[in-house]
Amino acid sequence: MKPLLGPALISVLAATLPATAHHSLAPYNRSTERSIEGTVKALDWSNPHVRIMLLVATADGAKEWSFEGGSVGRLTGSGYARSAIGLGDKITVKYNPRRDGSIGGFFIGIIAADGKAYHTRGFGTRDNPGGRGLTPLDGTL
């Protein structure tokens, strides 16, 4: 029985690697912040990451931008609410761009259609690793 314990333990640990790997923020340039305005095409308010699809006006029509954020629990703890963003709303997204240069990124704040700003500044950084005490602000990000 003991000879099987080692391989079984390794198999269990190896099975968890993909789950932790997809939570990495490595694809995003966390030292750069940008913002963009667009119309909400879709909102996926679910774990492991909240996602926002935004239609951004261009000279050629509109381009679809994809943003991911923290988990529902982390965003809710920072003051976000599912009801803050609705389909068709014009919002501004503050984000860390993707390192590969593709459009979209990791959102770190929004200004909702009603003008209320939500942010996660400090969330996941040395300044505030747990994102504690962050609340929505009125005005700018």
Side-chain angles (χ1 to χ4, degrees):
M1 193 71 157
K2 274 195 172 191
L4 296 177
L5 184 59
L9 183 59
I10 290 170
S11 296
V12 169
L13 292 174
T16 63
L17 288 177
T20 57
H22 88 276
H23 289 282
S24 172
L25 296 177
Y28 307 103
N29 184 347
R30 299 284 284 162
S31 65
T32 301
E33 296 178 358
R34 297 184 180 149
S35 62
I36 195 159
E37 186 176 308
T39 303
V40 177
K41 178 182 179 183
L43 172 65
D44 181 11
W45 187 262
S46 64
N47 289 317
H49 298 277
V50 172
R51 296 185 186 280
I52 301 171
M53 299 298 284
L54 203 64
L55 291 175
V56 177
T58 67
D60 304 335
K63 286 194 175 183
E64 191 172 290
W65 287 57
S66 175
F67 298 95
E68 80 172 310
S71 68
V72 170
R74 286 195 176 208
L75 291 175
T76 301
S78 293
Y80 282 78
R82 163 63 183 95
S83 59
I85 304 171
L87 297 181
D89 285 356
K90 287 191 184 281
I91 66 170
T92 299
V93 176
K94 187 172 185 179
Y95 66 99
N96 299 127
R98 292 188 175 123
R99 291 185 189 277
D100 67 5
S102 60
I103 58 176
F106 189 83
F107 75 86
I108 55 174
I110 64 163
I111 298 178
D114 65 1
K116 187 178 251 184
Y118 298 86
H119 65 100
T120 56
R121 187 68 186 132
F123 162 72
T125 68
R126 276 181 278 173
D127 297 337
N128 189 354
R132 305 270 186 258
L134 298 175
T135 55
L137 302 173
D138 291 326
T140 60
L141 293 174

